[in-house]
Amino acid sequence: MENIPFNDELVLDSWNQNADSWITAIENEEIESRKIVTNKAIIDAVVSYSPDSILDIGCGEGWLTRELTIRRIEAWGIDGVSTFIEKAQLMNCGKFLVAPYEDIINNNQIDIPSVDAVVCNFSLLGKDTVDNLIRSIPRLLKNNRLLFIQTLHPAIGCGELPYIDGWRQEFWNGFNSQFKKAAPWYFRKLETWITLLKSCGFSILECREPIHPTTNKPASIIFVASCNYQIK
């Protein structure tokens, strides 16, 4: 899979092209696992640690930022796709900003204060950009210094392909909405996720594996990690 000419720039490009279709899919509840498992799972994980403030990186159309705001958590959502942020701001619940991951990686000034926790909900799709982003997250954190990541469970997300790290492609099968372009994403083994978090200064507090009630297989994996130090 490494020979496929995918890269992090193509990830953002595909999401810019598919933003309207994604918003339609979310509004029509076309993703069953989100509706019955994973949305609640990430909310429960965050709320169980009682952060006062949180940054939702890769917030998309903003549903999680809004849900956390409703639960009286001061929440900001950022995303590199302007169409998503424009949609999120229409809801008038939560604070949203267009900002690519590179703004965090390069320590560019973004109009968001330090927060108790960062959440990345199915939003870590690239390779080098994701590695560098996680390495940069500690400078955003204060107090509890928590990081929540929900992503595809490697045991399920691997599908029929070999269980090795590498680029994959999302063809949007099973969606009713019309997506314009297949989306590349980078598959990581469970070992790779754990090694990445530890190498970036995080200790893993727990891993949650939300189970789909029909298939009885994991719908996702949630890493809850704390930062061992703060980058200045």
Side-chain angles (χ1 to χ4, degrees):
M1 299 299 295
E2 288 292 347
N3 294 325
I4 296 177
F6 291 146
N7 57 50
D8 291 342
E9 290 183 4
L10 290 177
V11 174
L12 185 58
D13 178 66
S14 68
W15 279 96
N16 272 303
Q17 293 191 46
N18 290 317
D20 288 331
S21 296
W22 177 259
I23 290 170
T24 299
I26 296 304
E27 291 178 339
N28 294 339
E29 297 187 329
E30 295 178 20
I31 309 174
E32 182 195 39
S33 60
R34 286 176 58 114
K35 182 169 59 174
I36 65 176
V37 185
T38 62
N39 283 5
K40 183 177 185 299
I42 191 62
I43 293 171
D44 289 348
V46 171
V47 170
S48 70
Y49 283 83
S50 302
D52 291 325
S53 58
I54 197 162
L55 175 61
D56 181 5
I57 296 180
C59 66
E61 79 297 334
W63 78 270
L64 179 56
T65 307
R66 294 192 296 271
E67 288 295 329
L68 296 176
T69 299
I70 291 170
R71 288 162 175 78
R72 301 184 182 278
I73 298 173
E74 191 171 16
W76 289 263
I78 65 172
D79 202 287
V81 179
S82 59
T83 301
F84 285 152
I85 297 302
E86 291 166 5
K87 176 66 174 179
Q89 290 172 334
L90 292 176
M91 302 300 174
N92 198 30
C93 184
K95 305 169 186 177
F96 298 96
L97 180 70
V98 178
Y101 293 176
E102 284 76 14
D103 280 357
I104 296 173
I105 294 168
N106 297 326
N107 201 21
N108 295 337
Q109 186 66 38
I110 56 176
D111 191 22
I112 294 173
S114 297
V115 291
D116 292 333
V118 164
V119 60
C120 301
N121 186 54
F122 293 110
S123 60
L124 301 179
L125 302 175
K127 185 179 185 292
D128 295 337
T129 298
V130 169
D131 293 350
N132 293 330
L133 175 69
I134 293 177
R135 192 168 291 111
S136 303
I137 283 175
R139 69 166 59 97
L140 304 173
L141 298 174
K142 64 176 182 177
N143 299 335
N144 295 332
R145 302 180 179 180
L146 292 169
L147 171 61
F148 300 87
I149 296 173
Q150 180 166 223
T151 188
L152 288 175
H153 197 292
I156 302 300
C158 183
E160 300 300 320
L161 295 173
Y163 191 69
I164 57 175
D165 296 344
W167 285 101
R168 310 290 171 90
Q169 201 166 11
E170 171 60 64
F171 292 101
W172 312 107
N173 294 329
F175 285 80
N176 295 322
S177 300
Q178 298 300 310
F179 289 84
K180 297 179 180 179
K181 186 176 181 179
W185 62 282
Y186 194 79
F187 172 80
R188 289 174 174 81
K189 300 182 299 181
L190 180 58
E191 176 185 0
T192 305
W193 277 114
I194 293 171
T195 299
L196 174 60
L197 286 167
K198 294 176 70 173
S199 71
C200 294
F202 287 95
S203 295
I204 297 174
L205 302 178
E206 62 170 318
C207 291
R208 301 188 181 192
E209 298 175 291
I211 301 299
H212 194 290
T214 302
T215 66
N216 291 319
K217 294 181 178 180
S220 66
I221 188 167
I222 298 175
F223 300 99
V224 183
S226 64
C227 185
N228 297 326
Y229 58 87
Q230 193 161 18
I231 298 175
K232 300 299 184 181

